[in-house]
Amino acid sequence: VLTGRSEVDYRTRSFAAYGLGLIGWSAGTAVKTRCFKILAEVLGDQDLVSRDLRVAAIEAIGTLAPTADAPAERLLLEQCLQLLARYYHEPLGPGDQLIQAHAPSAIARRLGRNGPASLVNYYRGMFLNELRNGTRESHDLYRSAVLALGQLSTPEDADQAECREVLL
């Protein structure tokens, strides 16, 4: 272990996760894919107790910068978004829902308003449905969906009136 200890503390691991996101942000597809796989493994670790490390993995996945320009990049973009959406919808308790609330902003940051229209429309619709249905326990999940909706919407969007209605 590079730290000289038998176990690496959660704070060091969290900063390493953020570092993976930054490395992937400026790297080629192969490195981005490797970083994503490591971060996905961290996020999926059921034995992980550190909330900070889960948040770091979510935020780092949102920092990876796959584009839709090439097929391999598009595939990686879709995998990042699907993993974040799947984690966001897991039936977790109130303490973990605060962590889940980081996923919508990571999704929106990854797509932005100018991402592939089909993906932007899909995730905007997902957040609209989340706000319309109102079946979640945590207000943090709704707050994050509202922020993501704002990041994914423009005045020109066909469902803009629906966005305004739901937000009001």
Side-chain angles (χ1 to χ4, degrees):
V1 174
L2 295 175
T3 61
R5 296 174 283 191
S6 61
E7 192 173 300
V8 180
D9 65 89
Y10 75 91
R11 212 169 257 165
T12 302
R13 290 182 69 201
S14 298
F15 278 98
Y18 287 119
L20 284 174
L22 292 172
I23 288 169
W25 178 75
S26 62
T29 307
V31 173
K32 286 178 190 177
T33 301
R34 176 79 173 119
C35 291
F36 170 72
K37 288 180 179 179
I38 293 167
L39 294 165
E41 188 175 315
V42 169
L43 192 57
D45 184 352
Q46 300 298 318
D47 297 327
L48 184 64
V49 294
S50 171
R51 292 179 177 181
D52 291 341
L53 186 50
R54 284 194 195 284
V55 169
I58 291 168
E59 294 298 333
I61 291 168
T63 304
L64 293 173
T67 65
D69 297 340
E73 288 273 317
R74 172 71 181 235
L75 176 63
L76 181 58
L77 174 62
E78 291 175 1
Q79 289 173 335
C80 289
L81 297 171
Q82 289 168 2
L83 176 67
L84 292 169
R86 195 168 43 249
Y87 184 75
Y88 176 69
H89 286 106
E90 283 184 23
L92 300 176
D96 290 321
Q97 289 175 358
L98 185 58
I99 299 165
Q100 286 176 293
H102 287 266
S105 63
I107 289 169
R109 188 172 57 252
R110 192 58 285 121
L111 282 175
R113 292 181 179 111
N114 299 317
S118 62
L119 293 174
V120 171
N121 290 336
Y122 174 81
Y123 287 99
R124 189 173 52 237
M126 183 181 86
F127 296 127
L128 274 170
N129 287 335
E130 181 77 18
L131 293 168
R132 237 187 267 119
N133 293 336
T135 59
R136 307 290 290 269
E137 294 175 26
S138 171
H139 292 287
D140 295 317
L141 294 171
Y142 296 121
R143 290 179 189 122
S144 64
V146 165
L147 293 173
L149 196 54
Q151 289 179 283
L152 295 173
S153 300
T154 67
E156 295 80 29
D157 292 328
D159 61 359
Q160 189 64 28
E162 184 179 14
C163 286
R164 281 192 306 271
E165 180 183 315
V166 168
L167 292 173
L168 288 173

